[in-house]
Amino acid sequence: MDQTNRIDRISRMEEKMDAVLAAAEGLEQALERWEACRPAVEELAAYYDGGDWLSDFTADEAGLLPEDLKRGVLSEDGLFDLLERARELDGKVPKEAPEA
């Protein structure tokens, strides 16, 4: 193997290593953010499943809430779809192993 081919190969592998390192760091950061959101997901699930969501949705439908209130959480499919997505992601994201 000549030196030019070796240098080219090493350069290509270095670029690939840099790309994988950057992706791994980005994924680690995203996993940390996701882990930090778990309590919010649990609270949203309790809100949706516990009856408060339906009560708030009904109040909104009856025009009892202020017009300028942000209410994406009350969209008929928005929260349900988010919770389903969270459940799917939880199946893909490994939970931290308990410490021995």
Side-chain angles (χ1 to χ4, degrees):
M1 166 170 289
D2 71 9
Q3 195 67 353
T4 301
N5 287 341
R6 183 182 312 275
I7 290 170
D8 287 346
R9 180 179 63 224
I10 292 170
S11 294
R12 283 192 325 273
M13 294 303 115
E14 189 68 21
E15 287 176 12
K16 292 177 186 309
M17 183 175 170
D18 288 345
V20 171
L21 280 170
E25 288 172 4
L27 181 56
E28 286 170 345
Q29 291 171 358
L31 288 171
E32 288 171 7
R33 287 192 313 271
W34 181 252
E35 191 64 33
C37 285
R38 285 186 194 269
V41 171
E42 291 171 10
E43 191 171 349
L44 286 166
Y47 171 67
Y48 186 76
D49 295 333
D52 285 341
W53 179 88
L54 184 57
S55 174
D56 293 345
F57 176 79
T58 303
D60 186 37
E61 290 287 301
L64 301 176
L65 300 176
E67 297 239 353
D68 62 344
L69 177 66
K70 185 175 178 185
R71 56 172 53 71
V73 73
L74 298 179
S75 68
E76 291 198 49
D77 294 325
L79 184 53
F80 176 83
D81 290 347
L82 174 63
L83 293 171
E84 285 300 305
R85 186 174 180 191
R87 287 181 188 110
E88 289 174 14
L89 287 171
D90 270 345
K92 295 177 183 178
V93 176
K95 306 262 193 271
E96 289 188 38
E99 293 184 29

